Amino acid sequence: MSELAKESFSAVLITQGEHKFYQLAMPSDTLGLCTFVSTRDEDPERGFQRLLDKKRASEIAGYIDTGHGTIPTSIILSAQEIADLEYDSRNKTVKFDVNPKSFLIIDGQHRVYGFRMSDSKIRVPVIIYDALSRRDESRLFIDINSKQRGVPSELLLDIKQQAEYENTEEQLFRELFDRMNEDPGSPLFGLLSPAKRAKKKISRVTFNAAMRSVYPVLVTRSEDEIFDIVSNYLSAVKDGMVRLDGDHDNLVQSTTFRAFVAFFVHVASRVKDRFGGDYTVENFSQVLGSLFDRVQSHKLIGTSQTRILEYLEKSFRSEFTL
């Protein structure tokens, strides 16, 4: 297809408030030939969009090329004067010149570049606004990106099993999370929130991020062993927090929880040395006992997991004597 070729597609004219736009399906190769992006870096006076994340676009291309990928969300475009856009109300078609500057991408730049990188040719849902000023284009960009609300990461993780998208690590974390959430004897019973963020509860995202730091030392164990070891460790930590503060509220703080899980490796190593790897609540408590005698509660909370972990490690080392 050469530049400046005239293309025509069936389209529906839709009016919403002050604006009219056309809804149509456009071949992905045509879409790639007639769209462009204006960025703040390239055009600080007129640009308003993000710079392209090529990795993200490449992932979209790979998803489409699997043959199973589908992206039904419409690309939002603004017709430029050079497109010479025409609408035939009788035949319900739009016609325009295929030029690299025909349409400004308002929403969907990564999808468009992903389609362009893909080896597959598909038809793409497209919305075309016509006769927008630069102010209108900028406002539309803001409205789309501020009014749309992404699906919470917690919910995506919660339904990955149903979609059969889990990897081995995610499957282990999900099963461990669910057991701790459902077992009344679990130290985290009543303190977990599977599908959303909740005050004074540990979300699935926080739990997975924490467990990822200790996954390499747990992976050789069975699921039951991992559940018992981690539960016993967290029980000892929870008991220590109650002894320190009178309650366990700080443990469910995201950074505090992740720091204590990452700290597990140090505590488990000492349990193995002292008790031959008998990872009971009592043995974990024995190792942690003097730590909770010397740490200060306010230093176990904050915005930095790294800082809390470093404080725990320093306090843990300082208790050693010959």
Side-chain angles (χ1 to χ4, degrees), residues 113-247:
Y113 276 86
F115 298 145
R116 192 178 291 180
M117 295 169 67
S118 170
D119 294 327
S120 307
K121 304 305 177 189
I122 61 174
R123 294 186 72 81
V124 181
V126 173
I127 297 292
I128 298 177
Y129 284 85
D130 190 23
L132 293 181
S133 66
R134 179 58 88 176
R135 185 198 68 171
D136 291 336
E137 290 173 341
S138 300
R139 287 184 174 183
L140 183 58
F141 177 83
I142 291 171
D143 289 345
I144 289 171
N145 285 278
S146 61
K147 299 295 188 287
Q148 290 180 347
R149 187 173 181 179
V151 177
S153 300
E154 290 79 6
L155 178 57
L156 291 176
L157 281 176
D158 199 39
I159 65 175
K160 264 193 170 184
Q161 178 196 11
Q162 298 175 42
E164 298 181 1
Y165 273 173
E166 286 181 322
N167 58 35
T168 303
E169 181 183 281
E170 289 172 336
Q171 180 181 348
L172 172 63
F173 296 164
R174 174 182 53 79
E175 292 171 350
L176 186 58
F177 182 100
D178 290 344
R179 286 182 68 176
M180 289 194 170
N181 187 44
E182 296 163 5
D183 186 344
S186 159
L188 299 183
F189 182 72
L191 300 178
L192 299 175
S193 180
K196 62 181 180 180
R197 296 181 184 179
K199 193 174 182 180
K200 293 189 175 182
K201 290 196 175 184
I202 299 165
S203 72
R204 198 180 289 272
V205 170
T206 294
F207 184 86
N208 282 19
M211 292 305 301
R212 201 165 287 121
S213 67
V214 296
Y215 178 72
V217 302
L218 297 173
V219 69
T220 58
R221 298 282 188 145
S222 70
E223 181 190 328
D224 287 340
E225 288 176 319
I226 293 173
F227 175 78
D228 289 340
I229 293 170
V230 173
S231 291
N232 290 343
Y233 169 70
L234 291 176
S235 291
V237 171
K238 187 177 178 182
D239 290 344
M241 296 290 281
V242 171
R243 182 156 59 89
L244 182 66
D245 296 323
D247 57 48

Side-chain angles (χ1 to χ4, degrees), residues 57-96:
S58 179
E59 289 171 351
I60 292 172
Y63 173 65
I64 293 297
D65 285 336
T66 63
H68 304 293
T70 176
I71 303 178
T73 310
S74 295
I75 305 297
I76 313 297
L77 305 177
S78 174
Q80 306 299 293
E81 187 174 348
I82 199 172
D84 193 24
L85 185 73
E86 299 175 11
Y87 177 63
D88 185 331
S89 59
R90 181 175 181 180
N91 296 317
K92 292 184 170 49
T93 58
V94 290
K95 184 165 61 174
F96 56 86

Side-chain angles (χ1 to χ4, degrees), residues 36-39 43 45-49 78 80 104-106 131-140:
F36 72 101
V37 174
S38 178
T39 71
D43 188 352
E45 290 187 5
R46 295 169 59 80
F48 53 83
Q49 295 195 327
S78 174
Q80 306 299 293
L104 172 67
I105 301 173
I106 301 292
L132 293 181
S133 66
R134 179 58 88 176
R135 185 198 68 171
D136 291 336
E137 290 173 341
S138 300
R139 287 184 174 183
L140 183 58

